Amino acid sequence: MDFSFIDPQTQEAVLAFKAKVVQKYPVTKALLFTGRSRRAHHGQSDADVAILLGD
């Protein structure tokens, strides 16, 4: 995942979430989308993450 455009707090949260999901499911990719991915968020914005699973 390319984190060059994501603020450090979002990066930490996404990586922690992905680490938990990977323990139970075969993750092939994690995608951050909407406001946080465009740096168009405010302090109370959530982070939307799509998790793609393999077989």
Side-chain angles (χ1 to χ4, degrees), residues 2-53:
D2 177 16
F3 285 107
S4 61
F5 60 92
I6 301 170
D7 64 276
Q9 295 83 7
T10 301
Q11 177 180 341
E12 184 179 334
V14 169
L15 289 175
F17 176 71
K18 183 182 172 191
K20 288 185 178 189
V21 174
V22 166
Q23 292 175 9
K24 295 185 96 175
Y25 302 99
V27 174
T28 59
K29 190 179 259 189
L31 304 168
L32 178 67
F33 59 99
T34 67
R36 287 201 179 264
S37 65
R38 296 185 309 271
R39 295 195 85 154
H41 62 282
H42 54 81
Q44 299 300 314
S45 294
D46 62 352
D48 299 301
V49 180
I51 300 290
L52 304 180
L53 304 176

